[in-house]
Amino acid sequence: MVSILFFLLLSTNFLATTQQGQFNISLGSSITPTGNSSWLSPSGLYGFGFYQKGNGFSVGIFIAGIPQKTVVWTANRDNPPVQGNVTLLLIGGGRLVLQSADGQEISIVNSHEPVAKASMFDSGNFILYNSDQEIIWQSFRNPTNTILPGQSLLAGEELFSSVSETNQSTGIFRLKMQNDGNLVQYPKDTPDEAAYSYYSSFTDKRGENVSLNLDVDGHLYLVNSTGFVIKDLTPGGYSTEGTIYLMKIDTDGIFRLYSFKLNQNSSVSIVWASSVDKCSSKGLYGLNRYCVKNDRDIYCQCLPGYLVSGEGGCQKNFSTENCESKDGNIKYTIDRVANTTWEDASYSILSLPTEEECERACLEDCSCEAVMFKDGECRKQKLPLRFGRKLESESNLALIKVGVSNFAGAPGEGDEPKRSKKDSQTDLLIIKDSSATSKSFLTLSFQSGDLSA
Ligand SMILES: *[C@@H]1O[C@H](CO)[C@@H](O)[C@H](O)[C@H]1NC(C)=O
Ligand SMILES: *[C@@H]1O[C@H](CO)[C@@H](O)[C@H](O)[C@H]1NC(C)=O
Ligand SMILES: *[C@@H]1O[C@H](CO)[C@@H](O)[C@H](O)[C@H]1NC(C)=O
Ligand SMILES: *[C@@H]1O[C@H](CO)[C@@H](O)[C@H](O)[C@H]1NC(C)=O
Ligand SMILES: *[C@@H]1O[C@H](CO)[C@@H](O)[C@H](O)[C@H]1NC(C)=O
Ligand SMILES: *[C@@H]1O[C@H](CO)[C@@H](O)[C@H](O)[C@H]1NC(C)=O
Ligand SMILES: *[C@@H]1O[C@H](CO)[C@@H](O)[C@H](O)[C@H]1NC(C)=O
Ligand SMILES: *[C@@H]1O[C@H](CO)[C@@H](O)[C@H](O)[C@H]1NC(C)=O
Ligand SMILES: *[C@@H]1O[C@H](CO)[C@@H](O)[C@H](O)[C@H]1NC(C)=O
């Protein structure tokens, strides 16, 4: 039974990858952004060539048979766009290059031996051959953010999301087919560790060479090295009439299976998504802010006392420079952010029974920018705070240190301590730079140390 299934799967793949036309590109062939701008596969479905990026062009593979060119692969995706006066050329020496008007050349793919021929297939695969007709490079083995039917993501390979729908440069999320058999999503610059993951297929320890595969009927699944389907992400069996499927890790970090209807009015729809929780992608909104979900939408929220910064995140709207000095112009209070989770990058963990003690521990420590209080544990944090999201089922309480200007010179105010706006519940009075309270904080600090020891 299982072996029959395997045979069927194999033949589906076989059909998808071999029964198709190829457009052959010989040495000396060239295209330009403003003339013949792509090499189309025989059916006209896929094209290799120039597409618009910003106010210039990039080179890649796209679905050409529909009005909106949908990019499925990009060459040198982090390079800036090129202008119209360039030529994409399969030069005699056996290289595929982008030649500028003044003769400079940029390699489009890095092949280790001379190219004799290139082919654009109806499957969407672009292949470079040597003079022995052997494959020396193929786009299917060098994916960017998309997997097409017949294409696999092999153990050790990963996809990276794009910056935006119109900018195919490397974005902030990745999807990795791990060598332990697990398919996992992480933010871009994090280690392959469970603490950073935000999606898993839960197939770890299922063998070394597990791969992610997509068939023409939208079947998305994991196969082990002996050919057994160890997990179906989608059941497949969707209509193939005038329809193609592709899987893409989107800019929001979720990977989705899309269907493209080609026959009628071309339409695109989502068949399946790795998560319905749009706040699940860790770090979606950058640093020092958190993702909040309501019934229909998600939005981002800066930490209290923080403002949106240019780099997509939030930054302090106060200084901590004078924290050490007693005659500073800034006082510090604590604002509470309930029911949120964050990366745990604590530099010190104290056992403190109450929220108030945890707040004090942070206020009297100039290195402390925030504390996470949960189950009697007080975790001191430095900036930035990452991967924040609101979760109603979460008991963690984030206590954020906020600086408030000290209007010491203003009449009537004197050294009146400032009250944290959001502390109405606990009615705490918190002050840093009055010598009397500083001393009592110091005393408490020793007690805290004793408690945590
Ligand atoms: C492209 O080359 C292959 C292999 O040499 C050949 O089988 C095929 O017919 C060629 N395709 C076209 C459209 O010429
Ligand atoms: C575009 O390609 C077609 C077919 O290969 C050719 O006949 C035509 O001359 C080309 N046009 C330009 C501007 O290169
Ligand atoms: C694409 O995004 C990258 C990274 O954010 C940025 O540096 C680049 O300027 C963007 N390109 C365009 C054409 O907008
Ligand atoms: C190519 O076009 C760009 C922008 O239009 C221009 O700055 C550049 O000088 C051109 N290069 C040559 C060699 O003509
Ligand atoms: C592949 O999965 C099948 C079924 O679970 C199992 O019997 C087989 O040992 C697996 N192969 C490898 C190499 O792990
Ligand atoms: C996995 O693939 C690698 C590279 O092809 C190979 O060296 C290794 O033996 C394979 N491992 C298993 C368990 O099949
Ligand atoms: C295609 O779009 C046109 C114009 O928007 C509409 O009149 C027509 O009914 C559509 N056809 C189908 C099959 O959806
Ligand atoms: C940011 O800080 C400045 C100077 O302390 C203050 O005037 C301003 O009101 C603050 N903005 C917000 C939104 O808190
Ligand atoms: C959410 O925060 C509120 C306010 O701090 C708290 O009363 C409630 O217990 C928290 N929810 C959970 C599930 O811990």
Side-chain angles (χ1 to χ4, degrees), residues 279 282 289-291 337-344 372 374 386-391 393-398:
C279 274
K282 283 187 171 160
R289 62 179 172 184
Y290 56 98
C291 184
V337 181
N339 314 114
T340 52
T341 63
W342 300 86
E343 172 185 24
D344 182 25
M372 300 299 163
K374 182 177 177 177
R386 299 197 296 176
F387 311 151
R389 70 164 301 180
K390 182 122 183 152
L391 213 52
S393 60
E394 174 61 54
S395 65
N396 181 59
L397 177 62

PDB file of all heavy atoms in Angstrom, residues 279 282 289-291 337-344 372 374 386-391 393-398:
ATOM      1  N   CYS A 279       0.262  37.493  14.533  1.00  0.00           N
ATOM      2  CA  CYS A 279       1.257  37.996  15.483  1.00  0.00           C
ATOM      3  C   CYS A 279       2.310  36.936  15.804  1.00  0.00           C
ATOM      4  O   CYS A 279       3.232  37.189  16.558  1.00  0.00           O
ATOM      5  CB  CYS A 279       0.590  38.439  16.794  1.00  0.00           C
ATOM      6  SG  CYS A 279      -0.034  40.133  16.778  1.00  0.00           S
ATOM      7  N   LYS A 282       7.955  36.031  14.954  1.00  0.00           N
ATOM      8  CA  LYS A 282       8.717  36.756  15.983  1.00  0.00           C
ATOM      9  C   LYS A 282       9.467  37.956  15.413  1.00  0.00           C
ATOM     10  O   LYS A 282      10.267  37.808  14.501  1.00  0.00           O
ATOM     11  CB  LYS A 282       9.705  35.807  16.655  1.00  0.00           C
ATOM     12  CG  LYS A 282       9.022  34.903  17.645  1.00  0.00           C
ATOM     13  CD  LYS A 282      10.003  34.082  18.451  1.00  0.00           C
ATOM     14  CE  LYS A 282       9.253  33.384  19.568  1.00  0.00           C
ATOM     15  NZ  LYS A 282       9.994  32.236  20.094  1.00  0.00           N
ATOM     16  N   ARG A 289       8.908  47.027  20.556  1.00  0.00           N
ATOM     17  CA  ARG A 289       7.460  47.132  20.439  1.00  0.00           C
ATOM     18  C   ARG A 289       6.849  45.754  20.314  1.00  0.00           C
ATOM     19  O   ARG A 289       7.538  44.777  20.071  1.00  0.00           O
ATOM     20  CB  ARG A 289       7.013  48.090  19.354  1.00  0.00           C
ATOM     21  CG  ARG A 289       7.400  47.790  17.948  1.00  0.00           C
ATOM     22  CD  ARG A 289       6.803  48.890  17.059  1.00  0.00           C
ATOM     23  NE  ARG A 289       7.276  48.785  15.693  1.00  0.00           N
ATOM     24  CZ  ARG A 289       6.978  49.660  14.751  1.00  0.00           C
ATOM     25  NH1 ARG A 289       6.241  50.706  15.009  1.00  0.00           N
ATOM     26  NH2 ARG A 289       7.429  49.511  13.526  1.00  0.00           N
ATOM     27  N   TYR A 290       5.544  45.690  20.470  1.00  0.00           N
ATOM     28  CA  TYR A 290       4.898  44.383  20.471  1.00  0.00           C
ATOM     29  C   TYR A 290       3.675  44.364  19.577  1.00  0.00           C
ATOM     30  O   TYR A 290       3.103  45.398  19.250  1.00  0.00           O
ATOM     31  CB  TYR A 290       4.569  43.944  21.901  1.00  0.00           C
ATOM     32  CG  TYR A 290       3.720  44.892  22.724  1.00  0.00           C
ATOM     33  CD1 TYR A 290       2.353  44.687  22.854  1.00  0.00           C
ATOM     34  CD2 TYR A 290       4.289  45.985  23.374  1.00  0.00           C
ATOM     35  CE1 TYR A 290       1.574  45.543  23.634  1.00  0.00           C
ATOM     36  CE2 TYR A 290       3.524  46.850  24.138  1.00  0.00           C
ATOM     37  CZ  TYR A 290       2.167  46.623  24.259  1.00  0.00           C
ATOM     38  OH  TYR A 290       1.396  47.479  25.012  1.00  0.00           O
ATOM     39  N   CYS A 291       3.339  43.157  19.178  1.00  0.00           N
ATOM     40  CA  CYS A 291       2.234  42.929  18.243  1.00  0.00           C
ATOM     41  C   CYS A 291       0.967  42.646  19.039  1.00  0.00           C
ATOM     42  O   CYS A 291       0.978  41.865  19.981  1.00  0.00           O
ATOM     43  CB  CYS A 291       2.592  41.727  17.372  1.00  0.00           C
ATOM     44  SG  CYS A 291       1.402  41.352  16.070  1.00  0.00           S
ATOM     45  N   VAL A 337       3.241  46.692  31.401  1.00  0.00           N
ATOM     46  CA  VAL A 337       2.633  46.166  30.185  1.00  0.00           C
ATOM     47  C   VAL A 337       2.271  44.718  30.495  1.00  0.00           C
ATOM     48  O   VAL A 337       3.141  43.850  30.566  1.00  0.00           O
ATOM     49  CB  VAL A 337       3.591  46.241  28.975  1.00  0.00           C
ATOM     50  CG1 VAL A 337       2.910  45.717  27.725  1.00  0.00           C
ATOM     51  CG2 VAL A 337       4.065  47.673  28.745  1.00  0.00           C
ATOM     52  N   ALA A 338       0.985  44.472  30.712  1.00  0.00           N
ATOM     53  CA  ALA A 338       0.541  43.143  31.143  1.00  0.00           C
ATOM     54  C   ALA A 338       0.363  42.201  29.965  1.00  0.00           C
ATOM     55  O   ALA A 338       0.196  42.643  28.823  1.00  0.00           O
ATOM     56  CB  ALA A 338      -0.767  43.265  31.911  1.00  0.00           C
ATOM     57  N   ASN A 339       0.449  40.910  30.228  1.00  0.00           N
ATOM     58  CA  ASN A 339       0.107  39.854  29.257  1.00  0.00           C
ATOM     59  C   ASN A 339       0.891  39.960  27.948  1.00  0.00           C
ATOM     60  O   ASN A 339       0.309  39.902  26.865  1.00  0.00           O
ATOM     61  CB  ASN A 339      -1.405  39.865  28.958  1.00  0.00           C
ATOM     62  CG  ASN A 339      -2.273  39.980  30.203  1.00  0.00           C
ATOM     63  OD1 ASN A 339      -2.967  40.979  30.403  1.00  0.00           O
ATOM     64  ND2 ASN A 339      -2.212  38.984  31.049  1.00  0.00           N
ATOM     65  N   THR A 340       2.188  40.112  28.045  1.00  0.00           N
ATOM     66  CA  THR A 340       3.017  40.103  26.832  1.00  0.00           C
ATOM     67  C   THR A 340       4.164  39.118  26.995  1.00  0.00           C
ATOM     68  O   THR A 340       4.649  38.891  28.098  1.00  0.00           O
ATOM     69  CB  THR A 340       3.630  41.486  26.528  1.00  0.00           C
ATOM     70  OG1 THR A 340       4.296  41.966  27.702  1.00  0.00           O
ATOM     71  CG2 THR A 340       2.588  42.482  26.066  1.00  0.00           C
ATOM     72  N   THR A 341       4.604  38.539  25.881  1.00  0.00           N
ATOM     73  CA  THR A 341       5.793  37.685  25.899  1.00  0.00           C
ATOM     74  C   THR A 341       6.893  38.362  25.098  1.00  0.00           C
ATOM     75  O   THR A 341       6.624  39.106  24.153  1.00  0.00           O
ATOM     76  CB  THR A 341       5.539  36.302  25.265  1.00  0.00           C
ATOM     77  OG1 THR A 341       5.211  36.488  23.883  1.00  0.00           O
ATOM     78  CG2 THR A 341       4.420  35.571  25.954  1.00  0.00           C
ATOM     79  N   TRP A 342       8.140  38.080  25.467  1.00  0.00           N
ATOM     80  CA  TRP A 342       9.318  38.684  24.841  1.00  0.00           C
ATOM     81  C   TRP A 342      10.411  37.633  24.775  1.00  0.00           C
ATOM     82  O   TRP A 342      10.326  36.608  25.431  1.00  0.00           O
ATOM     83  CB  TRP A 342       9.829  39.870  25.687  1.00  0.00           C
ATOM     84  CG  TRP A 342       8.813  40.955  25.844  1.00  0.00           C
ATOM     85  CD1 TRP A 342       7.833  41.017  26.806  1.00  0.00           C
ATOM     86  CD2 TRP A 342       8.645  42.113  25.037  1.00  0.00           C
ATOM     87  NE1 TRP A 342       7.070  42.145  26.625  1.00  0.00           N
ATOM     88  CE2 TRP A 342       7.551  42.842  25.545  1.00  0.00           C
ATOM     89  CE3 TRP A 342       9.322  42.621  23.925  1.00  0.00           C
ATOM     90  CZ2 TRP A 342       7.117  44.036  24.978  1.00  0.00           C
ATOM     91  CZ3 TRP A 342       8.892  43.804  23.368  1.00  0.00           C
ATOM     92  CH2 TRP A 342       7.796  44.506  23.889  1.00  0.00           C
ATOM     93  N   GLU A 343      11.456  37.961  24.021  1.00  0.00           N
ATOM     94  CA  GLU A 343      12.655  37.128  24.063  1.00  0.00           C
ATOM     95  C   GLU A 343      13.180  37.178  25.495  1.00  0.00           C
ATOM     96  O   GLU A 343      13.168  38.240  26.122  1.00  0.00           O
ATOM     97  CB  GLU A 343      13.711  37.717  23.126  1.00  0.00           C
ATOM     98  CG  GLU A 343      15.061  37.039  23.240  1.00  0.00           C
ATOM     99  CD  GLU A 343      16.136  37.708  22.388  1.00  0.00           C
ATOM    100  OE1 GLU A 343      16.009  38.906  22.063  1.00  0.00           O
ATOM    101  OE2 GLU A 343      17.096  37.032  22.045  1.00  0.00           O
ATOM    102  N   ASP A 344      13.636  36.049  26.031  1.00  0.00           N
ATOM    103  CA  ASP A 344      14.242  36.125  27.350  1.00  0.00           C
ATOM    104  C   ASP A 344      15.745  36.303  27.210  1.00  0.00           C
ATOM    105  O   ASP A 344      16.481  35.354  27.009  1.00  0.00           O
ATOM    106  CB  ASP A 344      13.941  34.892  28.189  1.00  0.00           C
ATOM    107  CG  ASP A 344      14.551  35.028  29.585  1.00  0.00           C
ATOM    108  OD1 ASP A 344      14.758  36.185  30.019  1.00  0.00           O
ATOM    109  OD2 ASP A 344      14.840  34.016  30.218  1.00  0.00           O
ATOM    110  N   MET A 372      11.020  41.571  33.601  1.00  0.00           N
ATOM    111  CA  MET A 372       9.882  40.692  33.335  1.00  0.00           C
ATOM    112  C   MET A 372       9.551  40.000  34.653  1.00  0.00           C
ATOM    113  O   MET A 372      10.427  39.384  35.267  1.00  0.00           O
ATOM    114  CB  MET A 372      10.247  39.632  32.281  1.00  0.00           C
ATOM    115  CG  MET A 372      10.667  40.212  30.944  1.00  0.00           C
ATOM    116  SD  MET A 372       9.352  41.189  30.181  1.00  0.00           S
ATOM    117  CE  MET A 372      10.284  42.119  28.970  1.00  0.00           C
ATOM    118  N   LYS A 374       7.240  37.226  36.544  1.00  0.00           N
ATOM    119  CA  LYS A 374       6.335  36.087  36.326  1.00  0.00           C
ATOM    120  C   LYS A 374       6.642  35.000  37.337  1.00  0.00           C
ATOM    121  O   LYS A 374       7.812  34.642  37.520  1.00  0.00           O
ATOM    122  CB  LYS A 374       6.540  35.550  34.903  1.00  0.00           C
ATOM    123  CG  LYS A 374       5.633  34.389  34.529  1.00  0.00           C
ATOM    124  CD  LYS A 374       5.886  33.987  33.073  1.00  0.00           C
ATOM    125  CE  LYS A 374       5.037  32.792  32.700  1.00  0.00           C
ATOM    126  NZ  LYS A 374       5.209  32.429  31.294  1.00  0.00           N
ATOM    127  N   ARG A 386      13.067  42.318  22.267  1.00  0.00           N
ATOM    128  CA  ARG A 386      12.693  41.786  20.953  1.00  0.00           C
ATOM    129  C   ARG A 386      11.528  40.801  21.046  1.00  0.00           C
ATOM    130  O   ARG A 386      11.269  40.231  22.100  1.00  0.00           O
ATOM    131  CB  ARG A 386      13.881  41.029  20.331  1.00  0.00           C
ATOM    132  CG  ARG A 386      15.109  41.886  20.106  1.00  0.00           C
ATOM    133  CD  ARG A 386      16.054  41.218  19.135  1.00  0.00           C
ATOM    134  NE  ARG A 386      16.597  39.952  19.628  1.00  0.00           N
ATOM    135  CZ  ARG A 386      17.384  39.157  18.907  1.00  0.00           C
ATOM    136  NH1 ARG A 386      17.707  39.491  17.667  1.00  0.00           N
ATOM    137  NH2 ARG A 386      17.844  38.024  19.407  1.00  0.00           N
ATOM    138  N   PHE A 387      10.919  40.549  19.909  1.00  0.00           N
ATOM    139  CA  PHE A 387       9.921  39.497  19.703  1.00  0.00           C
ATOM    140  C   PHE A 387       8.709  39.657  20.620  1.00  0.00           C
ATOM    141  O   PHE A 387       8.138  38.673  21.083  1.00  0.00           O
ATOM    142  CB  PHE A 387      10.545  38.109  19.898  1.00  0.00           C
ATOM    143  CG  PHE A 387      11.833  37.893  19.147  1.00  0.00           C
ATOM    144  CD1 PHE A 387      12.814  37.022  19.612  1.00  0.00           C
ATOM    145  CD2 PHE A 387      12.086  38.581  17.962  1.00  0.00           C
ATOM    146  CE1 PHE A 387      13.991  36.823  18.915  1.00  0.00           C
ATOM    147  CE2 PHE A 387      13.265  38.386  17.264  1.00  0.00           C
ATOM    148  CZ  PHE A 387      14.228  37.507  17.742  1.00  0.00           C
ATOM    149  N   GLY A 388       8.332  40.902  20.885  1.00  0.00           N
ATOM    150  CA  GLY A 388       7.214  41.134  21.790  1.00  0.00           C
ATOM    151  C   GLY A 388       5.857  40.900  21.143  1.00  0.00           C
ATOM    152  O   GLY A 388       5.656  41.228  19.981  1.00  0.00           O
ATOM    153  N   ARG A 389       4.972  40.326  21.905  1.00  0.00           N
ATOM    154  CA  ARG A 389       3.590  40.219  21.444  1.00  0.00           C
ATOM    155  C   ARG A 389       2.656  40.136  22.643  1.00  0.00           C
ATOM    156  O   ARG A 389       3.034  39.692  23.720  1.00  0.00           O
ATOM    157  CB  ARG A 389       3.373  39.001  20.562  1.00  0.00           C
ATOM    158  CG  ARG A 389       3.439  37.680  21.293  1.00  0.00           C
ATOM    159  CD  ARG A 389       2.852  36.568  20.463  1.00  0.00           C
ATOM    160  NE  ARG A 389       1.463  36.859  20.146  1.00  0.00           N
ATOM    161  CZ  ARG A 389       0.688  36.056  19.432  1.00  0.00           C
ATOM    162  NH1 ARG A 389       1.149  34.949  18.940  1.00  0.00           N
ATOM    163  NH2 ARG A 389      -0.571  36.365  19.218  1.00  0.00           N
ATOM    164  N   LYS A 390       1.446  40.591  22.445  1.00  0.00           N
ATOM    165  CA  LYS A 390       0.428  40.511  23.480  1.00  0.00           C
ATOM    166  C   LYS A 390      -0.249  39.151  23.368  1.00  0.00           C
ATOM    167  O   LYS A 390      -0.528  38.675  22.275  1.00  0.00           O
ATOM    168  CB  LYS A 390      -0.596  41.624  23.246  1.00  0.00           C
ATOM    169  CG  LYS A 390      -1.676  41.674  24.276  1.00  0.00           C
ATOM    170  CD  LYS A 390      -1.701  43.030  24.948  1.00  0.00           C
ATOM    171  CE  LYS A 390      -2.744  43.059  26.040  1.00  0.00           C
ATOM    172  NZ  LYS A 390      -2.372  44.010  27.087  1.00  0.00           N
ATOM    173  N   LEU A 391      -0.462  38.527  24.516  1.00  0.00           N
ATOM    174  CA  LEU A 391      -1.113  37.218  24.540  1.00  0.00           C
ATOM    175  C   LEU A 391      -1.952  37.172  25.805  1.00  0.00           C
ATOM    176  O   LEU A 391      -1.399  37.183  26.911  1.00  0.00           O
ATOM    177  CB  LEU A 391      -0.023  36.140  24.557  1.00  0.00           C
ATOM    178  CG  LEU A 391      -0.260  34.802  23.874  1.00  0.00           C
ATOM    179  CD1 LEU A 391      -0.728  34.950  22.442  1.00  0.00           C
ATOM    180  CD2 LEU A 391       1.020  33.977  23.933  1.00  0.00           C
ATOM    181  N   SER A 393      -3.466  34.965  27.313  1.00  0.00           N
ATOM    182  CA  SER A 393      -3.257  33.814  28.189  1.00  0.00           C
ATOM    183  C   SER A 393      -1.902  33.862  28.903  1.00  0.00           C
ATOM    184  O   SER A 393      -1.545  32.928  29.606  1.00  0.00           O
ATOM    185  CB  SER A 393      -3.337  32.538  27.362  1.00  0.00           C
ATOM    186  OG  SER A 393      -2.333  32.562  26.362  1.00  0.00           O
ATOM    187  N   GLU A 394      -1.162  34.936  28.702  1.00  0.00           N
ATOM    188  CA  GLU A 394       0.195  35.028  29.236  1.00  0.00           C
ATOM    189  C   GLU A 394       0.186  35.803  30.557  1.00  0.00           C
ATOM    190  O   GLU A 394      -0.358  36.899  30.628  1.00  0.00           O
ATOM    191  CB  GLU A 394       1.084  35.739  28.197  1.00  0.00           C
ATOM    192  CG  GLU A 394       2.481  36.040  28.650  1.00  0.00           C
ATOM    193  CD  GLU A 394       3.276  34.796  29.017  1.00  0.00           C
ATOM    194  OE1 GLU A 394       3.368  33.888  28.193  1.00  0.00           O
ATOM    195  OE2 GLU A 394       3.782  34.743  30.162  1.00  0.00           O
ATOM    196  N   SER A 395       0.819  35.234  31.587  1.00  0.00           N
ATOM    197  CA  SER A 395       0.802  35.907  32.888  1.00  0.00           C
ATOM    198  C   SER A 395       1.990  36.843  33.085  1.00  0.00           C
ATOM    199  O   SER A 395       2.036  37.590  34.050  1.00  0.00           O
ATOM    200  CB  SER A 395       0.762  34.870  34.012  1.00  0.00           C
ATOM    201  OG  SER A 395       1.950  34.117  33.992  1.00  0.00           O
ATOM    202  N   ASN A 396       2.947  36.815  32.142  1.00  0.00           N
ATOM    203  CA  ASN A 396       4.118  37.672  32.299  1.00  0.00           C
ATOM    204  C   ASN A 396       3.733  39.155  32.333  1.00  0.00           C
ATOM    205  O   ASN A 396       2.915  39.619  31.556  1.00  0.00           O
ATOM    206  CB  ASN A 396       5.094  37.436  31.145  1.00  0.00           C
ATOM    207  CG  ASN A 396       6.341  38.279  31.252  1.00  0.00           C
ATOM    208  OD1 ASN A 396       7.075  38.193  32.240  1.00  0.00           O
ATOM    209  ND2 ASN A 396       6.587  39.115  30.259  1.00  0.00           N
ATOM    210  N   LEU A 397       4.364  39.868  33.249  1.00  0.00           N
ATOM    211  CA  LEU A 397       4.141  41.303  33.368  1.00  0.00           C
ATOM    212  C   LEU A 397       5.453  42.005  33.028  1.00  0.00           C
ATOM    213  O   LEU A 397       6.470  41.781  33.690  1.00  0.00           O
ATOM    214  CB  LEU A 397       3.714  41.625  34.804  1.00  0.00           C
ATOM    215  CG  LEU A 397       3.491  43.091  35.166  1.00  0.00           C
ATOM    216  CD1 LEU A 397       2.364  43.696  34.332  1.00  0.00           C
ATOM    217  CD2 LEU A 397       3.148  43.196  36.656  1.00  0.00           C
ATOM    218  N   ALA A 398       5.444  42.820  31.984  1.00  0.00           N
ATOM    219  CA  ALA A 398       6.649  43.567  31.623  1.00  0.00           C
ATOM    220  C   ALA A 398       6.607  44.912  32.353  1.00  0.00           C
ATOM    221  O   ALA A 398       5.615  45.642  32.259  1.00  0.00           O
ATOM    222  CB  ALA A 398       6.698  43.772  30.113  1.00  0.00           C
TER     223      ALA A 398
END
